Amino acid sequence: MLFVCYPKCSTCKKAQAWLDAQGIPYELRDIKLQNPTEDELRQWSSQSGLPLRRMFNTSGLQYKALSLKEKLPDMSEDEQFSLLASDGMIVKRPLLIGDDFVLVGFQEAQWTETLKK
């Protein structure tokens, strides 16, 4: 499993501690140092089953600085994926990517349900 996070993020720290406590092995990837590619984001978005807007870190500084709340509704899907791929800090995190699932953001109940399958 791939665990994509920003190590300074409190939610990412909680998710990582939860994974460790469950004894779940994962490969760690720092989203700030190794930004997801556009192809990865397209695949993960599709696999997550969530609307594309849920892939954005709406509480992040970059999201606010770029006024994305106002701009996203007028952007094409291609433009949104390109923007997400340009800066990992715009991407919602943590991401947990398995063979047949992608979890976006940490919700313990959802992670528990998905990982016990």
Side-chain angles (χ1 to χ4, degrees):
M1 259 183 285
L2 178 62
F3 178 61
V4 182
C5 71
Y6 178 53
K8 295 180 182 180
C9 165
S10 61
T11 304
C12 291
K13 288 178 185 178
K14 284 181 200 170
Q16 187 171 10
W18 183 87
L19 287 169
D20 292 342
Q22 306 303 313
I24 297 170
Y26 56 88
E27 176 188 339
L28 179 70
R29 180 165 151 190
D30 184 331
I31 200 165
K32 189 165 177 92
L33 300 178
Q34 191 179 359
N35 194 51
T37 66
E38 191 170 330
D39 286 342
E40 286 175 324
L41 290 162
R42 286 180 182 278
Q43 180 180 350
W44 297 344
S45 176
S46 174
Q47 204 170 358
S48 75
L50 297 172
L52 179 54
R53 63 181 165 73
R54 294 279 307 277
M55 296 295 289
F56 284 86
N57 177 16
T58 58
S59 59
L61 298 175
Q62 282 294 86
Y63 186 88
K64 293 171 183 161
L66 296 172
S67 303
L68 293 180
K69 183 178 182 180
E70 292 79 28
K71 293 178 182 175
L72 281 180
D74 296 325
M75 293 175 73
S76 71
E77 191 174 274
D78 287 342
E79 290 170 326
Q80 290 180 48
F81 277 116
S82 179
L83 179 62
L84 283 167
S86 74
D87 185 346
M89 300 309 284
I90 299 173
V91 180
K92 176 89 172 165
R93 55 192 185 264
L95 295 162
L96 187 64
I97 297 100
D99 291 336
D100 59 350
F101 66 87
V102 172
L103 299 173
V104 180
F106 179 59
Q107 297 173 337
E108 187 175 335
Q110 180 190 32
W111 284 39
T112 300
E113 180 64 29
T114 300
L115 293 174
K116 73 178 186 180
K117 292 179 183 175

